Amino acid sequence: MLFHADGRVWYGRRAGAAPPHNWQFPQGGVDDGEDLFDAARRELREETGVRSVSLLGRTEEWVAYDFPPEAAPNRKGWKGQKQIWFALRFGGDEREIDLEGHGVAEFDAWRWGRLAEAPELVVPFKRSAYEHVVRAFSQFS
């Protein structure tokens, strides 16, 4: 989760996803042997272009959700995901943000918004995970 200096958070609109639940935080996978924090920074850079960050905190526990049956064909046989979340403070200039800098764009638009609105913006099957991280990181907004 990327925090602006004023406490707002970064939202990306998923490319090709229909509204209204098509906004989310950057996320991604961990390569074999990769440190979790290194993976978080790499995924953030790949999806947003952002490099100028400092660590605010992380979840201690894994946050999990299941994919609904209608999403299963797109999920390579996975039942769901479990994630460690990192809260990062953006320290750069917004010109650093480049959604197309790493090949196919995951997001087609971005904006800063309030942390509390996150659970209503994301696809419903991720809502409980987003509620969890909103509680975990509310001190940074």
Side-chain angles (χ1 to χ4, degrees), residues 13-93:
R13 187 175 67 195
R14 295 219 25 110
H21 304 291
N22 57 344
W23 292 87
Q24 71 173 54
F25 300 127
Q27 67 179 46
V30 179
D31 293 336
D32 286 339
E34 188 175 25
D35 175 80
L36 294 176
F37 183 54
D38 291 342
R41 289 184 303 172
R42 175 185 52 75
E43 287 288 345
L44 180 68
R45 184 176 59 252
E46 288 175 4
E47 294 181 3
T48 70
V50 169
R51 296 176 182 273
S52 304
V53 297
S54 57
L55 179 63
L56 295 171
R58 63 164 273 181
T59 58
E60 291 302 317
E61 66 287 338
W62 289 89
V63 180
Y65 59 85
D66 290 333
F67 296 126
E70 64 272 13
N74 300 324
R75 305 300 177 186
K76 302 174 188 165
W78 299 332
K79 181 182 179 209
Q81 286 191 332
K82 67 177 187 175
Q83 303 166 323
I84 292 289
W85 285 77
F86 290 89
L88 305 171
R89 177 79 67 203
F90 180 54
D93 185 284

Side-chain angles (χ1 to χ4, degrees), residues 65-135:
Y65 59 85
D66 290 333
F67 296 126
E70 64 272 13
N74 300 324
R75 305 300 177 186
K76 302 174 188 165
W78 299 332
K79 181 182 179 209
Q81 286 191 332
K82 67 177 187 175
Q83 303 166 323
I84 292 289
W85 285 77
F86 290 89
L88 305 171
R89 177 79 67 203
F90 180 54
D93 185 284
E94 289 184 359
R95 290 176 294 202
E96 185 174 319
I97 299 170
D98 179 6
L99 302 181
E100 298 177 356
H102 192 76
V104 177
E106 298 249 353
F107 303 111
D108 61 15
W110 68 273
R111 67 178 179 89
W112 296 107
R114 294 179 308 103
L115 177 61
E117 67 185 308
E120 297 303 317
L121 297 174
V122 71
V123 293
F125 68 88
K126 291 183 182 181
R127 188 165 291 147
S128 65
Y130 271 52
E131 289 168 345
H132 182 98
V133 295
V134 165
R135 285 190 304 276

